[in-house]
Amino acid sequence: MPAIAYLECSRCHAHLAADTPQTVCTQCKDQPAGALYVRYDLSHLHGTSPRDVVGDGDLPWRGMWRYHAVLPDVEPVTLGEGWTPMLHSRRHPGAWLKEEGANPTGAFKARGLALAVTMAKHYGLRKLAIPSAGNAAGALSAYAAAAGIEAHVFMPRDVPIANYVEVTAYGAHVTLVDGVISDCGRMVAERKQQEDWFDVSTLKEPFRVEGKKTMGYELVEQLGWEYPDAVFYPTGGGVGMIGMWKAFEELEQLGWVKPGRRPRMFGVQSSGCAPVVKAFDDGAAASSAWQNPHTAAAGLRVPKAYGDYILLEIMRESGGMAVAVSDEDIFASIQDWAAHEGILLSPEGAAATAAYAQLLSRGVLDPSDRVVLFNTGAGLKYIDVIASALHLKAPGQA
Ligand SMILES: Cc1ncc(COP(=O)(O)O)c(C=O)c1O
Ligand SMILES: [Zn+2]
């Protein structure tokens, strides 16, 4: 595992030291201050074969820590996150589904929060706070419990019940908020100083992106160290897309990916909350806060992403685009993939599969294009949401 050389601002490219906990850039002249990337000196790995460096060695299952050579040199707080299945679709010869529902806490949020809590423990932080649509709160609560650190979670009151149950069971301090994630974020920001909380909001500390970059390494490794043509990623705050793009840059520097074009990156949102899609279509450099956001895909109910400027740049540079799908299409895709592929998608994952179907029918993509669709969470975490969409009641309930 390499030592962290420095943290680099995504806006002004200032370098910050990583020997104490950092939040966002302290050098940016313009606000909001830039998110920070973790940088290492990886020169000793240049020209190596990933087969010699990546992997579990003699150790038992290590999940995303198989990429220890490109992660911070600290003792992991792990629950077995990462190395999730890459499932070839039974109907679409070009499509692979990355099953992130197989992570601890049933969502890809485990990767980012495993690393954020690992670093919090390393720095000796005692109290962490998070605004969340639900799954990030679940993941923080689990890893904080494992690390013996306090978790303070703020979620919308209408969060899926699984998230409420899990954070309570993990022993987190829970606040339910009448509002959406941005209202939760405001509450954390108002209280954190007085309460001595470290804020692990999306992109307001550097390690959630760094943990999620392992999705980029994994998808390339699972496809034989080759890029797919396209990646579909359900985008709320967009941390996964930012992390994967960072992974691609590192993979190219290391020479670990076969030469080829980086995948076209498709960010998928719900038409009930699509600020990044609007900004993409308008040719804007950043998004405006979406008014009255509503969607059953709880993780996509993010009115304004802190890193919107990064997402828009990635999608444009990669030749991808931002795509909106309706909640109707999301639930139709859940039923379709459950009945024909045996996979119960989360509503967010089903946004990706629905967007793939939309772009095939619009001729933007060809069925022979190799695409990776991210199911970012397990459908079973949304049992109340899916039951309601399918008009199902619990058996035995009048
Ligand atoms: C299942 C699921 N998918 C996607 C997202 C969106 O993730 P991000 O904020 O990293 O874009 C979330 C966020 O809560 C989520 O829980
Ligand atoms: Zn800066």
Side-chain angles (χ1 to χ4, degrees), residues 9-14 16 25-30 33-36:
C9 175
S10 56
R11 271 192 199 275
C12 75
H13 304 288
L16 273 68
C25 181
T26 52
Q27 307 297 311
C28 268
K29 302 260 183 308
D30 299 321
L36 298 173

Side-chain angles (χ1 to χ4, degrees), residues 12 42 50 53 58 78 112 124 135 154 175 182 191 209 215 217 231 242 246 264-265 269 276 280 287 297 336 339-340:
C12 75
L42 297 178
V53 180
D58 295 333
T78 179
N135 286 323
F154 290 73
T175 306
S182 39
R191 291 178 55 191
V209 170
M215 296 192 298
Y217 277 86
V231 171
I242 297 170
K246 180 176 191 282
R264 299 170 73 186
M265 302 299 280
Q269 300 199 301
V276 176
F280 186 91
S287 64
D336 176 52
H340 298 109

Side-chain angles (χ1 to χ4, degrees), residues 247-266:
F248 299 155
E249 185 186 316
E250 291 177 2
L251 280 160
E252 287 165 18
Q253 283 167 2
L254 294 166
W256 286 2
V257 60
K258 289 185 189 144
R261 192 176 186 279
R262 280 194 204 176
R264 299 170 73 186
M265 302 299 280
F266 292 92

Side-chain angles (χ1 to χ4, degrees), residues 9 43 52 186 189 211 310 327 366 379:
C9 175
S43 53
D52 298 332
R186 217 168 295 125
I310 310 177
D327 277 19
D366 188 84

